[in-house]
Amino acid sequence: MKINAGEIRVGMLLEYKNDLWQVLKTQHVKPGKGGAFAQVEMKSLNKNTKLNERFRSSETVEKASLEETIHNYLYEDENSYFFIEPKSFEQIEIKKNIVGDKGKLLIENLEVSINFHDSKPISIDLPNQVSCKIETTDAALKGQTVSSSYKPAILNNGLSIQVPPFIEAGDEIIIDTRTLEYIKKI
């Protein structure tokens, strides 16, 4: 699908120069002299390289068409995560480098959305919120209200986040999967 250069947004996937690119940054510039343009920083999903490109506002670029399907998380091995499609029971394997840090938040039977491009998995989206258990946390310091009143905590999946002072080891909390931030105690 062709889109105008002015419609490029962060997170979009573009087909450009025979490769698939994820938009990292975009800046729309309207200089006093000359036509407006979009300065776009992109990362190749296949080659893991970055590219800064300038598109004139009149130019069009090809937005990648993605197929999104719901899968349930099964298990992991040293290199990959395994998911099952609930309707057909078809299993797929996704390399750990594609999933990234989100893999630490995966729990058995968690429903995730997997994006495919040309039948190849390129990214996964977790639910916005997941529950985790606090493994260890520091003791809260009394009277520490001048600075932020959050303290470091380590979750049962190994992630380290900041939590409010009333959270103790063993507590169940909900965190935001997009920002890896504390939301509330269960």
Side-chain angles (χ1 to χ4, degrees):
M1 175 173 98
K2 294 262 186 208
I3 59 167
N4 244 352
E7 298 171 10
I8 297 173
R9 300 287 177 257
V10 173
M12 274 186 177
L13 292 171
L14 304 176
E15 291 179 26
Y16 184 68
K17 292 186 176 176
N18 296 325
D19 204 354
L20 197 61
W21 300 87
Q22 182 172 22
V23 177
L24 301 175
K25 291 181 189 170
T26 180
Q27 181 181 13
H28 298 280
V29 181
K30 195 170 183 178
K33 188 176 184 182
F37 61 88
Q39 184 72 35
V40 180
E41 183 179 323
M42 303 179 289
K43 178 183 174 192
S44 170
L45 293 178
N46 301 323
K47 300 178 191 135
N48 218 13
T49 57
K50 284 189 177 177
L51 175 71
N52 275 311
E53 198 68 45
R54 184 179 283 190
F55 298 104
R56 277 184 255 122
S57 294
S58 58
E59 285 184 84
T60 59
V61 289
E62 187 70 31
K63 183 179 176 187
S65 57
L66 298 177
E67 182 185 329
E68 188 175 310
T69 57
I70 301 295
H71 285 72
N72 289 352
Y73 172 67
L74 289 174
Y75 62 94
E76 69 176 290
D77 65 11
E78 53 274 348
N79 301 320
S80 305
Y81 294 106
F82 294 86
F83 300 88
I84 189 166
E85 206 272 315
K87 292 183 183 110
S88 67
F89 299 110
E90 181 183 331
Q91 285 191 30
I92 64 161
E93 173 184 351
I94 300 179
K95 298 285 182 210
K96 285 191 172 181
N97 63 338
I98 293 173
V99 177
D101 284 342
K102 294 178 184 178
K104 292 182 178 179
L105 295 171
L106 291 171
I107 52 175
E108 197 172 321
N109 277 333
L110 182 69
E111 195 173 86
V112 298
S113 176
I114 301 178
N115 296 310
F116 291 89
H117 181 264
D118 292 337
S119 305
K120 181 181 166 200
I122 56 167
S123 69
I124 74 164
D125 295 322
L126 278 72
N128 291 344
Q129 299 177 354
V130 294
S131 63
C132 296
K133 196 170 192 170
I134 300 288
E135 196 73 36
T136 60
T137 184
D138 294 347
L141 299 172
K142 286 196 183 292
Q144 188 188 20
T145 57
V146 175
S147 64
S148 71
S149 58
Y150 278 70
K151 62 182 182 179
I154 296 175
L155 303 174
N156 59 348
N157 54 22
L159 284 175
S160 180
I161 66 165
Q162 297 288 319
V163 296
F166 59 85
I167 300 293
E168 301 295 330
D171 286 350
E172 285 263 340
I173 63 167
I174 293 180
I175 66 169
D176 188 323
T177 59
R178 297 162 295 188
T179 61
L180 299 181
E181 290 178 349
Y182 166 87
I183 295 177
K184 67 180 180 181
K185 180 178 174 179
I186 300 175

